[in-house]
Amino acid sequence: MDNVTPNNENNGTHKTGHVTSGFGISDRELAKQDGFQQKLTLAFDWIVANKVIVLLLVGVVAFSSLGYVIYGQVKRGAQMKIQDQYYLIEKDYVKIKTDFDDAERQAQQEAAKAADKTKKDAKKDEPKPEPKKQASGDLEKDYGTVVGRFTELHTANPKLVPGKVTALVLADIYWEYKKLDLAAQVLEKSLESSPKTLVDYMILKKWSATQLSLGQFDQVIKKNQSVMGSSKYPFMNSYFKLQTGLAYEGLKQWDQAEAQYKDVIAKGDVPEMNKPADEEKMKNHFGADQSAAEQAQKYLLLLRMKKTADQAGT
């Protein structure tokens, strides 16, 4: 039997049995490539060798993306439907509210005329307008099914934007009828632990005002301090400082309250141009006309009077 000297390709110094799946390149040919080409070739080789796994992964990603898009569309569609329901209820609410406001203005005007004897004598025979129906003070009697419809919508969707706006409207109604416990319950359901949108901050502002009126001072301080200093809606910080100052007043911690008011006065009001476009609309519907700095000056003056009286033991 002839002796055969093994050549270099088969003596273990080079492995030529392996060929890349993607390009059919041997290890010797692969070794001649630069580092980048080698990595690219090996990566493609792995993809081809594991094409079933790769295709499954691509399919999973594509399906997940499609599912996310469909979920987003369904969610937006559901929110639009809820929003339409809100507008229908709001239309009825605004009509009733406007009629009551008109009736109150009419009554005030008539009272002013009656008090002015000169005008009364000069226009003795002037016909009086038919008096408009005023609010009775009974919530159910005045608003009928409106409050119930608002409550049903809010209960089903407390964390969606239409539900949060509904919470603000319900809170305003409950405030008007001095039902602060109910206002607090409604706002609590829509309150976010970490406010993100303007509506979230308006909810917190109304919730804090309600809790102040209920004497829950510690809760107001704790919650407001968690959001004060936020850069997203900086114009809201002054209002939270005012509420925190009032809470400290409720606890008779005069120095802490004074510090809050002085800070608001020192910083002044955030220029209107820095506010989001929808802030004015929200403020007109749910806020006060007086600026935070003006309120702080008034509160500081009253605080010093209370502090003096308290120190005097009166």
Side-chain angles (χ1 to χ4, degrees):
M1 186 173 183
D2 296 334
N3 292 327
V4 179
T5 303
N7 58 30
N8 289 337
E9 292 183 356
N10 297 310
N11 65 4
T13 59
H14 292 284
K15 295 179 182 179
T16 58
H18 176 264
V19 177
T20 61
S21 300
F23 296 108
I25 297 175
S26 67
D27 288 341
R28 178 178 291 177
E29 294 172 322
L30 185 64
K32 295 178 182 179
Q33 297 179 347
D34 60 37
F36 175 76
Q37 288 179 320
Q38 286 181 8
K39 291 178 181 179
L40 188 64
T41 301
L42 290 173
F44 187 79
D45 182 51
W46 184 90
I47 291 173
V48 172
N50 298 277
K51 56 182 175 292
V52 174
I53 296 175
V54 172
L55 289 173
L56 283 173
L57 289 173
V58 171
V60 168
V61 171
F63 183 78
S64 299
S65 299
L66 179 61
Y68 180 79
V69 171
I70 293 173
Y71 170 76
Q73 290 178 339
V74 171
K75 185 176 180 180
R76 282 192 295 272
Q79 186 151 309
M80 289 299 295
K81 184 177 180 181
I82 297 166
Q83 189 168 301
D84 289 342
Q85 293 173 359
Y86 167 81
Y87 286 139
L88 288 174
I89 306 170
E90 186 192 43
K91 182 180 177 181
D92 293 340
Y93 164 69
V94 170
K95 184 181 184 307
I96 296 171
K97 176 67 174 171
T98 301
D99 288 344
F100 287 153
D101 289 344
D102 289 344
E104 185 177 355
R105 277 193 296 272
Q106 184 190 62
Q108 291 173 351
Q109 290 170 358
E110 291 301 316
K113 288 179 182 179
D116 189 335
K117 295 182 178 180
T118 304
K119 288 184 178 180
K120 183 179 178 182
D121 294 337
K123 301 181 180 180
K124 189 180 298 182
D125 299 328
E126 181 180 303
K128 293 183 179 181
E130 182 179 349
K132 296 181 179 180
K133 181 182 178 182
Q134 292 182 270
S136 67
D138 184 314
L139 180 57
E140 293 184 3
K141 182 178 179 181
D142 290 341
Y143 283 99
T145 63
V146 167
V147 173
R149 289 157 62 199
F150 269 143
T151 301
E152 185 177 348
L153 187 150
H154 174 258
T155 301
N157 313 279
K159 296 295 186 179
L160 294 181
V161 174
K164 290 177 179 179
V165 175
T166 302
L168 289 169
V169 175
L170 279 171
D172 273 352
I173 295 173
Y174 288 138
W175 264 77
E176 184 179 352
Y177 285 81
K178 298 179 174 57
K179 296 179 180 290
L180 299 186
D181 288 336
L182 292 177
Q185 291 174 22
V186 167
L187 294 166
E188 191 80 39
K189 291 178 182 178
S190 292
L191 193 66
E192 297 286 359
S193 56
S194 298
K196 296 180 179 62
T197 66
L198 178 59
V199 176
D200 291 341
Y201 280 90
M202 298 301 293
I203 289 279
L204 176 56
K205 181 183 174 185
K206 192 72 174 180
W207 176 87
S208 296
T210 305
Q211 295 297 337
L212 281 173
S213 295
L214 292 172
Q216 302 298 320
F217 305 124
D218 288 324
Q219 290 188 36
V220 173
I221 294 170
K222 181 179 179 180
K223 190 66 179 177
N224 283 0
Q225 284 182 338
S226 70
V227 299
M228 282 194 299
S230 172
S231 59
K232 188 163 188 180
Y233 296 106
F235 59 90
M236 296 294 290
N237 288 327
S238 294
Y239 291 105
F240 292 132
K241 284 182 176 293
L242 286 177
Q243 292 175 330
T244 303
L246 290 171
Y248 278 127
E249 276 195 52
L251 297 172
K252 293 188 177 183
Q253 297 179 17
W254 311 117
D255 292 340
Q256 290 91 328
E258 186 171 346
Q260 299 294 324
Y261 300 149
K262 284 183 175 179
D263 190 49
V264 174
I265 294 170
K267 291 182 178 178
D269 292 317
V270 176
E272 296 292 324
M273 65 180 67
N274 290 345
K275 297 184 180 182
D278 55 348
E279 160 58 7
E280 281 303 312
K281 185 186 297 183
M282 295 292 291
K283 186 177 76 173
N284 290 337
H285 197 78
F286 301 111
D289 294 330
Q290 194 176 32
S291 72
E294 289 172 338
Q295 290 182 62
Q297 290 172 348
K298 181 182 72 174
Y299 292 164
L300 184 59
L301 178 62
L302 294 172
L303 167 66
R304 287 170 177 167
M305 294 172 61
K306 292 177 185 177
K307 184 177 179 181
T308 301
D310 184 65
Q311 291 174 344
T314 57

PDB file of all heavy atoms in Angstrom, residues 32-53:
ATOM      1  N   LYS A  32      -8.890  35.348   3.796  1.00  0.00           N
ATOM      2  CA  LYS A  32      -8.251  36.362   2.952  1.00  0.00           C
ATOM      3  C   LYS A  32      -8.984  37.700   2.989  1.00  0.00           C
ATOM      4  O   LYS A  32      -8.443  38.714   2.544  1.00  0.00           O
ATOM      5  CB  LYS A  32      -8.184  35.856   1.505  1.00  0.00           C
ATOM      6  CG  LYS A  32      -7.291  34.643   1.325  1.00  0.00           C
ATOM      7  CD  LYS A  32      -7.317  34.171  -0.129  1.00  0.00           C
ATOM      8  CE  LYS A  32      -6.447  32.911  -0.315  1.00  0.00           C
ATOM      9  NZ  LYS A  32      -6.486  32.434  -1.708  1.00  0.00           N
ATOM     10  N   GLN A  33     -10.217  37.719   3.501  1.00  0.00           N
ATOM     11  CA  GLN A  33     -10.996  38.958   3.537  1.00  0.00           C
ATOM     12  C   GLN A  33     -10.576  39.820   4.730  1.00  0.00           C
ATOM     13  O   GLN A  33     -10.015  39.319   5.699  1.00  0.00           O
ATOM     14  CB  GLN A  33     -12.491  38.645   3.637  1.00  0.00           C
ATOM     15  CG  GLN A  33     -13.048  37.879   2.449  1.00  0.00           C
ATOM     16  CD  GLN A  33     -14.522  37.576   2.604  1.00  0.00           C
ATOM     17  OE1 GLN A  33     -15.076  37.723   3.685  1.00  0.00           O
ATOM     18  NE2 GLN A  33     -15.165  37.152   1.516  1.00  0.00           N
ATOM     19  N   ASP A  34     -10.853  41.126   4.604  1.00  0.00           N
ATOM     20  CA  ASP A  34     -10.553  41.999   5.742  1.00  0.00           C
ATOM     21  C   ASP A  34     -11.596  41.775   6.855  1.00  0.00           C
ATOM     22  O   ASP A  34     -12.578  41.065   6.667  1.00  0.00           O
ATOM     23  CB  ASP A  34     -10.512  43.476   5.335  1.00  0.00           C
ATOM     24  CG  ASP A  34     -11.839  43.950   4.759  1.00  0.00           C
ATOM     25  OD1 ASP A  34     -12.899  43.506   5.256  1.00  0.00           O
ATOM     26  OD2 ASP A  34     -11.827  44.778   3.826  1.00  0.00           O
ATOM     27  N   GLY A  35     -11.341  42.395   8.026  1.00  0.00           N
ATOM     28  CA  GLY A  35     -12.191  42.142   9.201  1.00  0.00           C
ATOM     29  C   GLY A  35     -13.647  42.464   8.968  1.00  0.00           C
ATOM     30  O   GLY A  35     -14.535  41.712   9.373  1.00  0.00           O
ATOM     31  N   PHE A  36     -13.908  43.591   8.321  1.00  0.00           N
ATOM     32  CA  PHE A  36     -15.297  43.999   8.099  1.00  0.00           C
ATOM     33  C   PHE A  36     -16.012  43.022   7.184  1.00  0.00           C
ATOM     34  O   PHE A  36     -17.151  42.623   7.445  1.00  0.00           O
ATOM     35  CB  PHE A  36     -15.330  45.411   7.501  1.00  0.00           C
ATOM     36  CG  PHE A  36     -16.709  45.873   7.139  1.00  0.00           C
ATOM     37  CD1 PHE A  36     -17.598  46.287   8.125  1.00  0.00           C
ATOM     38  CD2 PHE A  36     -17.136  45.869   5.810  1.00  0.00           C
ATOM     39  CE1 PHE A  36     -18.879  46.705   7.799  1.00  0.00           C
ATOM     40  CE2 PHE A  36     -18.414  46.277   5.479  1.00  0.00           C
ATOM     41  CZ  PHE A  36     -19.279  46.701   6.483  1.00  0.00           C
ATOM     42  N   GLN A  37     -15.349  42.608   6.092  1.00  0.00           N
ATOM     43  CA  GLN A  37     -15.975  41.659   5.162  1.00  0.00           C
ATOM     44  C   GLN A  37     -16.234  40.320   5.832  1.00  0.00           C
ATOM     45  O   GLN A  37     -17.244  39.665   5.577  1.00  0.00           O
ATOM     46  CB  GLN A  37     -15.073  41.462   3.933  1.00  0.00           C
ATOM     47  CG  GLN A  37     -15.038  42.671   2.991  1.00  0.00           C
ATOM     48  CD  GLN A  37     -14.120  42.437   1.810  1.00  0.00           C
ATOM     49  OE1 GLN A  37     -13.038  41.867   1.957  1.00  0.00           O
ATOM     50  NE2 GLN A  37     -14.547  42.879   0.630  1.00  0.00           N
ATOM     51  N   GLN A  38     -15.264  39.890   6.683  1.00  0.00           N
ATOM     52  CA  GLN A  38     -15.466  38.636   7.402  1.00  0.00           C
ATOM     53  C   GLN A  38     -16.714  38.688   8.275  1.00  0.00           C
ATOM     54  O   GLN A  38     -17.538  37.770   8.266  1.00  0.00           O
ATOM     55  CB  GLN A  38     -14.239  38.333   8.268  1.00  0.00           C
ATOM     56  CG  GLN A  38     -13.021  37.874   7.485  1.00  0.00           C
ATOM     57  CD  GLN A  38     -11.859  37.575   8.403  1.00  0.00           C
ATOM     58  OE1 GLN A  38     -12.006  37.565   9.623  1.00  0.00           O
ATOM     59  NE2 GLN A  38     -10.682  37.332   7.809  1.00  0.00           N
ATOM     60  N   LYS A  39     -16.852  39.789   9.057  1.00  0.00           N
ATOM     61  CA  LYS A  39     -18.012  39.923   9.944  1.00  0.00           C
ATOM     62  C   LYS A  39     -19.310  39.971   9.151  1.00  0.00           C
ATOM     63  O   LYS A  39     -20.321  39.378   9.549  1.00  0.00           O
ATOM     64  CB  LYS A  39     -17.875  41.183  10.798  1.00  0.00           C
ATOM     65  CG  LYS A  39     -16.768  41.088  11.833  1.00  0.00           C
ATOM     66  CD  LYS A  39     -16.641  42.384  12.626  1.00  0.00           C
ATOM     67  CE  LYS A  39     -15.510  42.285  13.657  1.00  0.00           C
ATOM     68  NZ  LYS A  39     -15.367  43.556  14.409  1.00  0.00           N
ATOM     69  N   LEU A  40     -19.283  40.689   8.019  1.00  0.00           N
ATOM     70  CA  LEU A  40     -20.474  40.791   7.195  1.00  0.00           C
ATOM     71  C   LEU A  40     -20.853  39.436   6.620  1.00  0.00           C
ATOM     72  O   LEU A  40     -22.028  39.038   6.602  1.00  0.00           O
ATOM     73  CB  LEU A  40     -20.234  41.813   6.068  1.00  0.00           C
ATOM     74  CG  LEU A  40     -21.447  42.190   5.212  1.00  0.00           C
ATOM     75  CD1 LEU A  40     -22.490  42.886   6.063  1.00  0.00           C
ATOM     76  CD2 LEU A  40     -21.023  43.099   4.056  1.00  0.00           C
ATOM     77  N   THR A  41     -19.840  38.684   6.146  1.00  0.00           N
ATOM     78  CA  THR A  41     -20.090  37.361   5.562  1.00  0.00           C
ATOM     79  C   THR A  41     -20.628  36.392   6.609  1.00  0.00           C
ATOM     80  O   THR A  41     -21.591  35.656   6.366  1.00  0.00           O
ATOM     81  CB  THR A  41     -18.792  36.798   4.949  1.00  0.00           C
ATOM     82  OG1 THR A  41     -18.322  37.702   3.956  1.00  0.00           O
ATOM     83  CG2 THR A  41     -19.034  35.433   4.312  1.00  0.00           C
ATOM     84  N   LEU A  42     -20.001  36.409   7.809  1.00  0.00           N
ATOM     85  CA  LEU A  42     -20.438  35.503   8.872  1.00  0.00           C
ATOM     86  C   LEU A  42     -21.841  35.856   9.366  1.00  0.00           C
ATOM     87  O   LEU A  42     -22.630  34.970   9.706  1.00  0.00           O
ATOM     88  CB  LEU A  42     -19.442  35.551  10.031  1.00  0.00           C
ATOM     89  CG  LEU A  42     -18.070  34.906   9.738  1.00  0.00           C
ATOM     90  CD1 LEU A  42     -17.109  35.170  10.886  1.00  0.00           C
ATOM     91  CD2 LEU A  42     -18.214  33.407   9.497  1.00  0.00           C
ATOM     92  N   ALA A  43     -22.134  37.163   9.416  1.00  0.00           N
ATOM     93  CA  ALA A  43     -23.470  37.572   9.847  1.00  0.00           C
ATOM     94  C   ALA A  43     -24.521  37.082   8.865  1.00  0.00           C
ATOM     95  O   ALA A  43     -25.565  36.554   9.258  1.00  0.00           O
ATOM     96  CB  ALA A  43     -23.526  39.094   9.968  1.00  0.00           C
ATOM     97  N   PHE A  44     -24.237  37.254   7.560  1.00  0.00           N
ATOM     98  CA  PHE A  44     -25.185  36.794   6.542  1.00  0.00           C
ATOM     99  C   PHE A  44     -25.303  35.275   6.575  1.00  0.00           C
ATOM    100  O   PHE A  44     -26.376  34.707   6.403  1.00  0.00           O
ATOM    101  CB  PHE A  44     -24.728  37.266   5.163  1.00  0.00           C
ATOM    102  CG  PHE A  44     -25.728  36.980   4.079  1.00  0.00           C
ATOM    103  CD1 PHE A  44     -26.844  37.778   3.913  1.00  0.00           C
ATOM    104  CD2 PHE A  44     -25.564  35.881   3.238  1.00  0.00           C
ATOM    105  CE1 PHE A  44     -27.776  37.505   2.914  1.00  0.00           C
ATOM    106  CE2 PHE A  44     -26.493  35.600   2.249  1.00  0.00           C
ATOM    107  CZ  PHE A  44     -27.601  36.419   2.092  1.00  0.00           C
ATOM    108  N   ASP A  45     -24.154  34.617   6.824  1.00  0.00           N
ATOM    109  CA  ASP A  45     -24.147  33.162   6.911  1.00  0.00           C
ATOM    110  C   ASP A  45     -25.045  32.679   8.052  1.00  0.00           C
ATOM    111  O   ASP A  45     -25.806  31.721   7.908  1.00  0.00           O
ATOM    112  CB  ASP A  45     -22.706  32.683   7.145  1.00  0.00           C
ATOM    113  CG  ASP A  45     -22.617  31.170   7.201  1.00  0.00           C
ATOM    114  OD1 ASP A  45     -23.134  30.506   6.280  1.00  0.00           O
ATOM    115  OD2 ASP A  45     -22.041  30.647   8.169  1.00  0.00           O
ATOM    116  N   TRP A  46     -24.966  33.411   9.219  1.00  0.00           N
ATOM    117  CA  TRP A  46     -25.806  33.020  10.361  1.00  0.00           C
ATOM    118  C   TRP A  46     -27.284  33.223  10.044  1.00  0.00           C
ATOM    119  O   TRP A  46     -28.122  32.412  10.401  1.00  0.00           O
ATOM    120  CB  TRP A  46     -25.413  33.868  11.580  1.00  0.00           C
ATOM    121  CG  TRP A  46     -26.170  33.472  12.824  1.00  0.00           C
ATOM    122  CD1 TRP A  46     -25.807  32.550  13.732  1.00  0.00           C
ATOM    123  CD2 TRP A  46     -27.448  33.981  13.240  1.00  0.00           C
ATOM    124  NE1 TRP A  46     -26.769  32.434  14.717  1.00  0.00           N
ATOM    125  CE2 TRP A  46     -27.792  33.298  14.432  1.00  0.00           C
ATOM    126  CE3 TRP A  46     -28.326  34.923  12.727  1.00  0.00           C
ATOM    127  CZ2 TRP A  46     -28.960  33.542  15.113  1.00  0.00           C
ATOM    128  CZ3 TRP A  46     -29.499  35.161  13.409  1.00  0.00           C
ATOM    129  CH2 TRP A  46     -29.813  34.495  14.587  1.00  0.00           C
ATOM    130  N   ILE A  47     -27.597  34.334   9.355  1.00  0.00           N
ATOM    131  CA  ILE A  47     -28.993  34.620   9.010  1.00  0.00           C
ATOM    132  C   ILE A  47     -29.559  33.529   8.119  1.00  0.00           C
ATOM    133  O   ILE A  47     -30.678  33.055   8.312  1.00  0.00           O
ATOM    134  CB  ILE A  47     -29.113  35.989   8.332  1.00  0.00           C
ATOM    135  CG1 ILE A  47     -28.811  37.108   9.347  1.00  0.00           C
ATOM    136  CG2 ILE A  47     -30.509  36.201   7.736  1.00  0.00           C
ATOM    137  CD1 ILE A  47     -28.730  38.484   8.736  1.00  0.00           C
ATOM    138  N   VAL A  48     -28.745  33.123   7.107  1.00  0.00           N
ATOM    139  CA  VAL A  48     -29.215  32.091   6.180  1.00  0.00           C
ATOM    140  C   VAL A  48     -29.384  30.763   6.919  1.00  0.00           C
ATOM    141  O   VAL A  48     -30.381  30.050   6.729  1.00  0.00           O
ATOM    142  CB  VAL A  48     -28.238  31.951   4.997  1.00  0.00           C
ATOM    143  CG1 VAL A  48     -28.617  30.744   4.125  1.00  0.00           C
ATOM    144  CG2 VAL A  48     -28.226  33.209   4.165  1.00  0.00           C
ATOM    145  N   ALA A  49     -28.429  30.456   7.789  1.00  0.00           N
ATOM    146  CA  ALA A  49     -28.497  29.190   8.520  1.00  0.00           C
ATOM    147  C   ALA A  49     -29.666  29.150   9.498  1.00  0.00           C
ATOM    148  O   ALA A  49     -30.183  28.077   9.816  1.00  0.00           O
ATOM    149  CB  ALA A  49     -27.177  28.966   9.265  1.00  0.00           C
ATOM    150  N   ASN A  50     -30.050  30.311   9.976  1.00  0.00           N
ATOM    151  CA  ASN A  50     -31.139  30.375  10.955  1.00  0.00           C
ATOM    152  C   ASN A  50     -32.333  31.151  10.398  1.00  0.00           C
ATOM    153  O   ASN A  50     -32.992  31.894  11.119  1.00  0.00           O
ATOM    154  CB  ASN A  50     -30.635  31.044  12.244  1.00  0.00           C
ATOM    155  CG  ASN A  50     -29.512  30.272  12.905  1.00  0.00           C
ATOM    156  OD1 ASN A  50     -29.739  29.334  13.641  1.00  0.00           O
ATOM    157  ND2 ASN A  50     -28.280  30.690  12.619  1.00  0.00           N
ATOM    158  N   LYS A  51     -32.585  30.990   9.121  1.00  0.00           N
ATOM    159  CA  LYS A  51     -33.623  31.781   8.455  1.00  0.00           C
ATOM    160  C   LYS A  51     -35.007  31.565   9.043  1.00  0.00           C
ATOM    161  O   LYS A  51     -35.833  32.476   9.062  1.00  0.00           O
ATOM    162  CB  LYS A  51     -33.632  31.502   6.955  1.00  0.00           C
ATOM    163  CG  LYS A  51     -33.799  30.056   6.547  1.00  0.00           C
ATOM    164  CD  LYS A  51     -33.736  29.935   5.033  1.00  0.00           C
ATOM    165  CE  LYS A  51     -33.768  28.481   4.571  1.00  0.00           C
ATOM    166  NZ  LYS A  51     -32.534  27.743   4.960  1.00  0.00           N
ATOM    167  N   VAL A  52     -35.272  30.384   9.537  1.00  0.00           N
ATOM    168  CA  VAL A  52     -36.592  30.113  10.114  1.00  0.00           C
ATOM    169  C   VAL A  52     -36.799  30.979  11.361  1.00  0.00           C
ATOM    170  O   VAL A  52     -37.842  31.617  11.532  1.00  0.00           O
ATOM    171  CB  VAL A  52     -36.748  28.625  10.467  1.00  0.00           C
ATOM    172  CG1 VAL A  52     -38.069  28.387  11.189  1.00  0.00           C
ATOM    173  CG2 VAL A  52     -36.682  27.780   9.199  1.00  0.00           C
ATOM    174  N   ILE A  53     -35.757  31.018  12.222  1.00  0.00           N
ATOM    175  CA  ILE A  53     -35.848  31.827  13.444  1.00  0.00           C
ATOM    176  C   ILE A  53     -35.969  33.305  13.096  1.00  0.00           C
ATOM    177  O   ILE A  53     -36.768  34.042  13.681  1.00  0.00           O
ATOM    178  CB  ILE A  53     -34.615  31.585  14.338  1.00  0.00           C
ATOM    179  CG1 ILE A  53     -34.583  30.134  14.808  1.00  0.00           C
ATOM    180  CG2 ILE A  53     -34.614  32.547  15.527  1.00  0.00           C
ATOM    181  CD1 ILE A  53     -33.343  29.770  15.594  1.00  0.00           C
TER     182      ILE A  53
END
